[in-house]
Amino acid sequence: MASELLLALAAMAGTVTATPTLEDFEATLRRHDSATLALEEWCTMRGLADPAHVTAQTLANGHTAPPTDLSAVLGLASNEALAMRNVRLSCGGTVLSVAWNWYVPSRLTAPMNEALARSDAPFGKVVAPLGFRRKALSTVAGPRDNCPADTISTHQAILMLPDGRPLAYLVECYTAANLAPLR
């Protein structure tokens, strides 16, 4: 059912050619507040997996220091902790993104925090019931600090809760596999 919906969305948005462009890819990302949903749509349009299901593999090297002003950006109270999740997002065995999510655990439910700690579920899917909105901060062609060398696009964004409080700060490095010709 979800794959059928994604195919319908892809048809409405126009099809992606056998050799998609960065513009095609960026347009798909812009249609969604959740990068996971965007990657699942992209995976469906590209035929990378059926059904298109994005998983998050936690990376052991995820001890990247947060940006220096992150406490202010996320509006952390003195009693609130900051957590970080560094993952590789894949669909059908193809790595589409490497991402860092700095987030405020106290703004999530206990089951959401448990899922983030113990599953391969992507952040966006886990916290979707909160009704977050994405606020783009920057998009840069190519890699930024800590991104893999084959990064085609780097995004920085904040996820905002419906009441206006920030939930998470994201850095997403999208891989060249997103634009690779299909075999």
Side-chain angles (χ1 to χ4, degrees):
M1 174 84 175
S3 289
E4 292 164 0
L5 178 60
L6 288 172
L7 284 171
L9 285 171
M12 289 182 346
T15 57
V16 175
T17 60
T19 306
T21 65
L22 183 56
E23 292 78 24
D24 295 332
F25 180 67
E26 294 290 352
T28 302
L29 291 172
R30 281 191 302 273
R31 282 196 292 276
H32 299 276
D33 286 315
S34 167
T36 303
L37 291 180
L39 290 175
E40 286 185 346
E41 178 184 331
W42 187 252
C43 188
T44 297
M45 289 189 304
R46 299 291 324 280
L48 297 175
D50 186 21
H53 178 69
V54 171
T55 58
Q57 175 191 13
T58 302
L59 299 174
N61 64 350
H63 298 292
T64 302
T68 55
D69 60 345
L70 196 53
S71 291
V73 168
L74 292 177
L76 286 179
S78 60
N79 64 339
E80 288 183 304
L82 181 65
M84 194 272 288
R85 193 172 190 229
N86 179 210
V87 296
R88 182 180 296 130
L89 298 177
S90 300
C91 183
T94 301
V95 176
L96 302 177
S97 174
V98 175
W100 287 263
N101 300 340
W102 286 274
Y103 62 97
V104 185
S106 63
R107 297 177 190 169
L108 306 178
T109 66
M112 288 175 186
N113 281 308
E114 182 71 18
L116 290 172
R118 303 199 186 283
S119 77
D120 68 352
F123 188 85
K125 283 216 171 172
V126 170
V127 302
L130 298 176
F132 67 83
R133 293 287 173 244
R134 182 184 188 92
K135 178 182 174 186
L137 299 175
S138 73
T139 300
V140 176
R144 292 195 52 155
D145 294 341
N146 300 315
C147 288
D150 72 338
T151 298
I152 58 168
S153 182
T154 304
H155 290 223
Q156 292 177 298
I158 295 177
L159 300 184
M160 306 293 290
L161 293 167
D163 67 5
R165 288 181 304 151
L167 173 64
Y169 173 82
L170 316 172
V171 176
E172 302 157 334
C173 308
Y174 295 100
T175 69
N178 286 287
L179 301 183
L182 299 176
R183 295 176 214 181

